[in-house]
Amino acid sequence: MSVLESRRRSRITGPATYGKDRPRFTPTMRLILLSVVLAIAIACFLLLFVRGSFAFAFPRRLNMLGAMAVAAFTHGLGTVVFHTVTNNRILTPSIIGFDSLYVLMQTLTVFVFGGTAIANTEGIPKLLAQTALMVALATILYRWMFSGKLGSLFLMLLVGVVIGLAFDSISTFLQRLLSPTEYDLLSVKLFGRLSAVKGDYLPLAFAVCVFAGVILWKRRHHLDALLLGREAAMGIGVSYKRELTIMLVLIALLVAFSTALVGPMTFFGFIVATLAYQLAGSYRHIFVLPMAFLLGMLTLVLGQFVMQHIFYAGGFLTVIIEFVGGILFIGMILRKGTL
Amino acid sequence: MKNAVLLPIVVVIVLVLAVASLFVGGFDISVETLLNDAEARDMFLISRVPRTLALIFAAMAMSVSGVIMQMITQNKFVEPTTAGTAQWAGLGVLFALIILPAADPMTKMVVATGFALFGTIIFIAVLRRLSVRSSLIVPLVGIMLGAVVSAVTTFLAGTFDLLQSMSAWRSGGFSSVVRGFYEPLWAVLIIAVLAFALANRFTVAGLGKDLATNVGLRYEQVVFIGVAMVAVATGVTTVVVGFIPFLGLIVPNLVSMMLGDDVHKNLPWVALVGAGLLLACDLIGRVVVAPMEIPASVILGVVGAIVFIALIVRQRRHVSA
């Protein structure tokens, strides 16, 4: 392998990625720049193209903006931290069965209590119960991973994915037994939906985000250390197992809550994190994490704006994001040749 | 246990299951009514015989496909559903439904097979570019690829208002299999015979590209033929009965645990055990909630997931990611 080749490789596969070459903008400047762009995008989203009553449209848009902030925060930060602790940049936390468990829960609700139940049981208790169930599934998986002598991350992921496949196969069967009306009521729940999030839930959602944000802020240096890999991190005095456990439970909480609130979005976090590594100009979490959040917001706000006012298909945003994310995922595997 | 003892036992069990599959069901059929009652005889020939044959053929298709794919990819956890082949075939079916709503099953099969072939080639291409090919990463990549394809399928189905008919078809099952509908599955027999004829080549291909080329195997050609056979088997099975998850995974692994990795020796066993397992799942699904039924694929999805996890936990002692 030539020197050039090996340098290229180390840049592609190494854990730390610094932009293209030496950064022209410092990471802080990049964050500020992106914030300005985001502010403009938010202003456009909130204020432009209001048909009819402004007093009617504005609170609804503000509500949706809140939902976008929650989705961007949970998926963006959750995925970056997940990549750090699992030492890969391909997988996203929602693949370990969160989405499938969510779909199964919704399908079971409609199957057992009928189509109207899904609207009638709406409320904070249901949201919390769903989150609790998903976090419980993840925690059982994580505990099991740490139990054996040769506990392996990939083993855990694979087990999670396979459990998800089993859930899917039950959901698909139950969906087949529903009447078309019931199925229509259910199908709304099976995609990510930003516009349907109720304003009442947002304070709780922000509280969850702030809680997670504070923990991540306090542990940002530990996260940086984890990037060095298990041995090196332990060598400089980080309690590897402890950090891993805290982070995995936190990720489970973030992604589970977001899935219960907004609906499943498997590849959104993947897009956001991948872009954040490219654009942050630094590998340190103090820059990458806010970058992921800002990029997530920008993707959603700009995407919604364009979809709604240019293509008149605002409801399809999350589906388009999943589609693009999926293609990006295949491209990344082909390019990097590793997980 | 010696093979000489084991073989007759397995054959008898599968035969018993096949006979049970012929005689269990909502319409009461016994040997006596079969001889005397024309209506029972008709029912038997129109519904029961095709269903049992479809079960046997579909089981053979999926388990033989599993063996071939595991040899080609040198990975014990690859089979049509964990490599995305089945999901691509599903996308093909949807594509046919959208573009040619009036297409006959034969056209749908050709389209599904084309998509399955394309998807499997992508999977193989991705595998070749992977620098780390540990036993756990390969299926993870395949399952993720399948998830992307499923997402596309769901999106398209949602756009064209075909979501529920897709979920009906995905968990298909064998309840709707009647005479005049299952016949394309006979093609699976050709695939099985071909697989048996080429078995030694697949065994050699399973040693890896370098070694296989060294001993004089046209490696690329064998891989392509294998992929094409899997695509045809999966495409046909998907159109007639929907997804049958994990069968191609459980059966070859069980057989190779008992007998080793000689494909030529294993194939008849794989076909036999596969048929037995699917017949058993179908019978369970028909009996526990009679007169309703749970599709065999749902039972396999759940049982298969448990067996899959047991298999990787077993491997965990020998291989770490």
Side-chain angles (χ1 to χ4, degrees):
Chain A
M1 203 188 286
S2 71
V3 178
L4 205 79
E5 167 81 324
S6 77
R7 191 183 295 161
R8 192 179 71 84
R9 287 211 153 229
S10 74
R11 207 176 63 216
I12 291 172
T13 55
T17 308
Y18 298 85
K20 274 281 172 203
D21 279 307
R22 203 184 314 136
R24 219 181 306 157
F25 297 100
T26 64
T28 319
M29 279 165 69
R30 289 165 187 243
L31 283 179
I32 293 170
L33 214 66
L34 192 62
S35 305
V36 173
V37 175
L38 179 61
I40 297 170
I42 288 177
C44 291
F45 171 74
L46 285 178
L47 304 174
L48 292 186
F49 296 106
V50 178
R51 266 176 308 229
S53 157
F54 185 79
F56 174 75
F58 191 71
R60 283 173 57 97
R61 291 188 178 187
L62 213 54
N63 221 358
M64 201 165 164
L65 192 70
M68 287 172 174
V70 173
F73 190 93
T74 51
H75 282 280
L77 271 64
T79 307
V80 170
V81 176
F82 188 73
H83 285 178
T84 301
V85 296
T86 58
N87 202 15
N88 84 79
R89 289 194 162 180
I90 295 287
L91 299 169
T92 90
S94 27
I95 64 158
I96 65 156
F98 284 123
D99 295 355
S100 309
L101 182 58
Y102 171 82
V103 171
L104 181 61
M105 287 190 294
Q106 301 297 335
T107 310
L108 267 178
T109 311
V110 175
F111 183 73
V112 177
F113 302 110
T116 46
I118 210 156
N120 291 339
T121 55
E122 229 25 72
I124 303 262
K126 186 186 181 190
L127 185 70
L128 291 179
Q130 285 179 344
T131 309
L133 255 173
M134 284 187 267
V135 172
L137 167 81
T139 318
I140 290 169
L141 273 177
Y142 298 152
R143 285 192 78 125
W144 183 68
M145 177 191 100
F146 289 126
S147 63
K149 245 191 298 178
L150 277 168
S152 143
L153 216 52
F154 284 110
L155 186 69
M156 176 199 86
L157 290 174
L158 199 56
V159 170
V161 168
V162 170
I163 291 176
L165 288 179
F167 288 162
D168 281 346
S169 125
I170 301 172
S171 305
T172 313
F173 169 57
L174 292 179
Q175 282 167 18
R176 189 175 123 177
L177 301 179
L178 297 176
S179 76
T181 343
E182 282 176 331
Y183 186 81
D184 278 348
L185 289 167
L186 172 68
S187 70
V188 181
K189 287 272 174 185
L190 300 184
F191 300 105
R193 61 206 183 282
L194 294 159
S195 50
V197 175
K198 279 200 192 128
D200 313 351
Y201 301 166
L202 287 178
L204 177 68
F206 287 141
V208 171
C209 290
V210 169
F211 169 74
V214 169
I215 293 182
L216 287 178
W217 176 257
K218 282 193 174 162
R219 311 196 86 82
R220 61 191 189 278
H221 302 302
H222 295 232
L223 282 171
D224 291 344
L226 285 180
L227 278 180
L228 302 170
R230 183 183 172 154
E231 272 70 34
M234 283 163 87
I236 57 173
V238 173
S239 164
Y240 184 78
K241 199 168 154 181
R242 194 181 119 101
E243 287 304 319
L244 206 60
T245 315
I246 294 174
M247 288 307 161
L248 288 175
V249 173
L250 195 68
I251 294 163
L253 176 70
L254 281 176
V255 177
F257 185 80
S258 164
T259 306
L261 185 74
V262 187
M265 291 170 88
T266 313
F267 292 107
F268 172 57
F270 172 73
I271 302 184
V272 169
T274 306
L275 281 174
Y277 301 132
Q278 298 291 319
L279 298 179
S282 165
Y283 62 89
R284 293 170 59 195
H285 285 83
I286 189 172
F287 298 118
V288 176
L289 290 178
M291 188 55 107
F293 170 66
L294 291 175
L295 281 170
M297 273 298 270
L298 192 65
T299 311
L300 293 177
V301 172
L302 217 56
Q304 186 67 31
F305 186 72
V306 170
M307 289 295 288
Q308 206 164 333
H309 300 300
I310 296 178
F311 297 107
Y312 303 103
F316 273 127
L317 175 67
T318 51
V319 181
I320 300 279
I321 289 179
E322 294 301 275
F323 183 63
V324 173
I327 291 174
L328 184 66
F329 169 78
I330 295 181
M332 286 289 282
I333 292 191
L334 278 173
R335 208 187 71 146
K336 293 180 75 166
T338 177
L339 283 180
Chain B
M1 218 188 289
K2 280 270 176 63
N3 284 344
V5 189
L6 202 57
L7 184 65
I9 294 178
V10 174
V11 171
V12 168
I13 291 176
V14 174
L15 276 179
V16 168
L17 285 169
V19 172
S21 164
L22 285 173
F23 286 98
V24 170
F27 195 90
D28 210 10
I29 297 174
S30 66
V31 182
E32 198 195 334
T33 51
L34 204 58
L35 290 173
N36 303 324
D37 188 349
E39 197 188 358
R41 213 176 305 141
D42 277 352
M43 204 61 183
F44 190 72
L45 291 179
I46 292 170
S47 164
R48 294 291 167 74
V49 173
R51 179 175 185 144
T52 305
L53 281 178
L55 277 162
I56 292 171
F57 288 148
M60 276 168 59
M62 294 325 275
S63 25
V64 170
S65 294
V67 176
I68 297 174
M69 290 195 84
Q70 281 160 28
M71 282 295 154
I72 290 173
T73 59
Q74 295 180 267
N75 187 300
K76 284 274 170 211
F77 298 129
V78 173
E79 60 114 25
T81 38
T82 59
T85 308
Q87 286 83 348
W88 277 97
L91 182 60
V93 172
L94 180 70
F95 187 76
L97 274 179
I98 292 170
I99 304 289
L100 314 153
D104 54 76
M106 212 54 215
T107 321
K108 280 188 201 156
M109 272 168 219
V110 173
V111 176
T113 303
F115 273 73
L117 184 61
F118 179 71
T120 318
I121 289 173
I122 286 190
F123 175 68
I124 304 268
V126 169
L127 279 196
R128 293 211 172 150
R129 302 198 68 164
L130 282 183
S131 51
V132 188
R133 270 192 245 171
S134 87
S135 60
L136 299 178
I137 288 180
V138 169
L140 212 46
V141 168
I143 292 172
M144 287 288 273
L145 287 176
V148 173
V149 178
S150 285
V152 173
T153 309
T154 310
F155 168 56
L156 285 177
T159 318
F160 290 92
D161 246 344
L162 293 166
L163 263 181
Q164 200 173 12
S165 53
M166 278 307 277
S167 74
W169 161 81
R170 241 182 235 178
S171 70
F174 296 82
S175 50
S176 57
V177 170
V178 284
R179 191 167 63 190
F181 184 64
Y182 83 104
E183 279 77 0
L185 281 175
W186 281 93
V188 170
L189 266 192
I190 303 169
I191 301 279
V193 171
L194 201 60
F196 193 69
L198 294 170
N200 286 331
R201 290 175 199 223
F202 289 127
T203 309
V204 177
L207 298 172
K209 184 178 181 178
D210 294 343
L211 214 57
T213 314
N214 260 344
V215 296
L217 186 75
R218 296 169 76 172
Y219 182 77
E220 298 295 337
Q221 201 186 31
V222 171
V223 167
F224 184 78
I225 293 173
V227 169
M229 283 161 60
V230 170
V232 172
T234 313
V236 173
T237 314
T238 306
V239 171
V240 179
V241 293
F243 290 169
I244 305 176
F246 293 123
L247 191 66
L249 179 102
I250 303 171
V251 175
N253 273 298
L254 281 178
V255 171
S256 84
M257 268 180 213
M258 291 190 314
L259 301 175
D261 279 341
D262 181 352
V263 179
H264 195 82
K265 198 173 71 185
N266 287 4
L267 265 180
W269 282 89
V270 167
L272 199 61
V273 175
L277 191 60
L278 193 60
L279 284 168
C281 284
D282 185 61
L283 275 174
I284 294 170
R286 278 150 80 176
V287 171
V288 287
V289 290
M292 302 254 288
E293 68 171 84
I294 304 171
S297 56
V298 174
I299 295 181
L300 255 183
V302 177
V303 175
I306 296 167
V307 175
F308 187 100
I309 291 166
L311 280 175
I312 51 182
V313 172
R314 223 180 88 99
Q315 276 238 332
R316 180 179 177 179
R317 287 179 224 126
H318 313 297
V319 192
S320 59

